[in-house]
Amino acid sequence: MANRIITAATIIALLPPLAACGSIGGGVALEPEHQVRTVVDSSSLPVYDLKTTKADGDHSWFRLSTRDFDQSSITRLDGFELKEHYNPYWVDQNSCKDDIEGLDAYIPQRKGASLIMRHIAQWTNPADGSKHQINAKITYNDGLRAGFTVERNSGQDTFFGFGAGQWDAPTNQRPYSDISIDFSADDGTALDGFKGTTGFTDLDGGANPYNEGVELLEGFDGVYVRSDAHLSRYGSNGWAGNTDENAGVYDEHGMKHYLGATFSGTHLRIRYSVAIGQARGMQFQPVDSTVVYPLYYDMNGGTGGPKQRN
């Protein structure tokens, strides 16, 4: 079916809701050199209707996800401070005690702070079928009330997230976290033709909008959202929640709060932000509905070379 490009765009009201304990993310005060932009529609990436269109199989060989990983894979901290059992959403650590035990925070001490997540996912080279473990260098470029967290979700899984804002230390500017991701093969293999997919779930709006927004700044080549999504164009190649909150991820309503994206190359940059007066968190979490997975097979018992069929 032919790709359908979404063209509708709306402006989001930035009305702060009441504070409450939420899913973990958040950060600390690192003042930016300039005020973060408000809602602007500046988009150059093609946007496809996820109800009718999926990305081609070329992007299915690597999935960027920061859920369900081993925290010991986080290495080479440079400019980050690790705080165990710490909730960066709150200056007063007694505010949400139940959240703290399953939470560690990586707090950037300066712009350019970085860390390595080893073996974040496996990449299959479609040219020859070889498999390679991929490492991801995550760099903090800039932010306001920005931080990174590892949450252990009641023994179910562990996820690494990025967030912005503090409940009890509001700012008059929109909190945000601007980060880069650079991929490399653990075995040193050149990542020629490297492509992949990722996504962002549970982008909330709300009656007094939380307006979580994600801008796809560098490295991306396609955006996948439903034509009936509860999202609006935001910032530079970005989308933000514009109506209600969301609880589920994979159900019908959850998919209306989902932003899927594909990328080409080994460098990505995003900016995550929340409405003034809010504190929220996000992680990379692609869902299977974004891409068509190819059937990969060898011709003539492997003598005919690798073949791909979408």
Side-chain angles (χ1 to χ4, degrees):
M1 184 175 293
N3 290 343
R4 293 176 56 192
I5 297 181
I6 301 173
T7 59
T10 58
I11 301 300
I12 305 171
L14 298 179
L15 300 176
L18 298 175
C21 293
S23 59
I24 302 304
V28 299
L30 290 177
E31 297 297 333
E33 297 175 352
H34 54 81
Q35 184 170 346
V36 183
R37 68 172 63 113
T38 54
V39 175
V40 178
D41 180 13
S42 174
S43 301
S44 59
L45 293 175
V47 181
Y48 304 102
D49 183 355
L50 194 51
K51 290 181 67 176
T52 60
T53 306
K54 294 184 179 181
D56 60 69
D58 289 344
H59 292 88
S60 68
W61 303 109
F62 179 79
R63 289 164 48 91
L64 172 58
S65 174
T66 54
R67 292 193 69 101
D68 194 17
F69 78 106
D70 183 351
Q71 188 175 352
S72 66
S73 70
I74 299 179
T75 62
R76 295 173 58 183
L77 271 64
D78 180 8
F80 277 96
E81 179 184 359
L82 170 59
K83 293 188 176 183
E84 297 180 336
H85 310 299
Y86 178 84
N87 188 339
Y89 269 152
W90 299 87
V91 174
D92 178 5
Q93 289 296 292
N94 293 315
S95 297
C96 275
K97 273 291 187 183
D98 291 342
D99 291 336
I100 295 174
E101 287 304 313
L103 181 69
D104 294 336
Y106 292 81
I107 307 301
Q109 303 301 299
R110 56 174 172 80
K111 296 177 183 179
S114 65
L115 54 81
I116 302 291
M117 296 182 70
R118 295 187 67 250
H119 296 189
I120 193 170
Q122 182 176 265
W123 174 60
T124 300
N125 186 340
D128 58 14
S130 60
K131 300 181 185 300
H132 308 273
Q133 289 292 338
I134 300 299
N135 301 333
K137 179 181 180 180
I138 297 179
T139 302
Y140 170 79
N141 300 317
D142 201 355
L144 174 63
R145 301 283 199 267
F148 301 79
T149 59
V150 171
E151 182 177 356
R152 292 169 292 281
N153 187 9
S154 302
Q156 298 175 16
D157 62 4
T158 300
F159 61 85
F160 178 87
F162 48 92
Q166 282 183 331
W167 292 117
D168 52 353
T171 174
N172 60 3
Q173 300 178 20
R174 185 174 170 91
Y176 74 103
S177 181
D178 184 321
I179 66 174
S180 295
I181 303 94
D182 292 280
F183 302 108
S184 61
D186 193 60
D187 59 9
T189 299
L191 299 182
D192 297 330
F194 187 76
K195 294 184 179 182
T197 183
T198 192
F200 308 91
T201 61
D202 196 18
L203 285 167
D204 283 328
N208 294 312
Y210 296 137
N211 288 326
E212 291 181 283
V214 175
E215 296 169 87
L216 308 174
L217 300 180
E218 295 174 3
F220 296 92
D221 55 18
V223 181
Y224 293 79
V225 296
R226 290 172 59 110
S227 54
D228 59 354
H230 295 174
L231 306 173
S232 293
R233 298 286 188 101
Y234 168 76
S236 178
N237 290 319
W239 294 78
N242 64 9
T243 53
D244 55 355
E245 289 190 76
N246 174 62
V249 173
Y250 303 107
D251 59 13
E252 179 80 5
H253 185 223
M255 290 306 299
K256 294 179 180 180
H257 289 259
Y258 175 70
L259 169 63
T262 55
F263 55 88
S264 296
T266 59
H267 172 79
L268 302 176
R269 179 180 161 221
I270 67 165
R271 180 164 46 232
Y272 169 75
S273 62
V274 297
I276 296 171
Q278 289 296 298
R280 296 279 155 175
M282 184 63 58
Q283 58 271 305
F284 293 96
Q285 186 178 357
V287 299
D288 289 340
S289 62
T290 304
V291 294
V292 174
Y293 285 88
L295 173 65
Y296 191 82
Y297 60 98
D298 290 330
M299 293 289 289
N300 300 324
T303 61
K307 303 293 180 182
Q308 174 181 316
R309 177 184 296 160
N310 290 339

